[in-house]
Amino acid sequence: MALAACGVASVDPGTLRNLLPWLSPKSDPEIVAAGQAFFDVFCPLRLECGECLASALPDRTHLLIRNGFHSDFLIK
């Protein structure tokens, strides 16, 4: 039985603004700080998770979208 080709798609937002576009320089500084803290933890873990998942697949295909926007997370 042959397995169908499969792969993993990950999005690296690159910047806080790409991940959380509703934050702006006028946003509450505490909310921006919380968003930055989330970004600092989320991004490395998200990329590591994508690599780990891709390495478990037979063909190890991993598409990485760099500097992706919030909508790219929904598309993939």
Side-chain angles (χ1 to χ4, degrees), residues 7-32:
V8 175
S10 298
V11 178
D12 174 13
T15 67
L16 179 62
R17 184 82 173 129
N18 286 355
L19 181 63
L20 305 172
W22 50 87
L23 292 180
S24 74
K26 295 180 181 180
S27 295
D28 181 329
E30 288 184 26
I31 294 173
V32 173

Side-chain angles (χ1 to χ4, degrees), residues 18-65:
N18 286 355
L19 181 63
L20 305 172
W22 50 87
L23 292 180
S24 74
K26 295 180 181 180
S27 295
D28 181 329
E30 288 184 26
I31 294 173
V32 173
Q36 186 65 52
F38 172 76
F39 178 83
D40 292 342
V41 172
F42 172 81
C43 290
L45 292 177
R46 178 85 170 165
L47 296 176
E48 182 181 326
C49 182
E51 286 293 330
C52 184
L53 183 57
S55 70
L57 297 172
D59 61 1
R60 297 179 184 219
T61 301
H62 185 197
L63 169 65
L64 177 57
I65 301 169

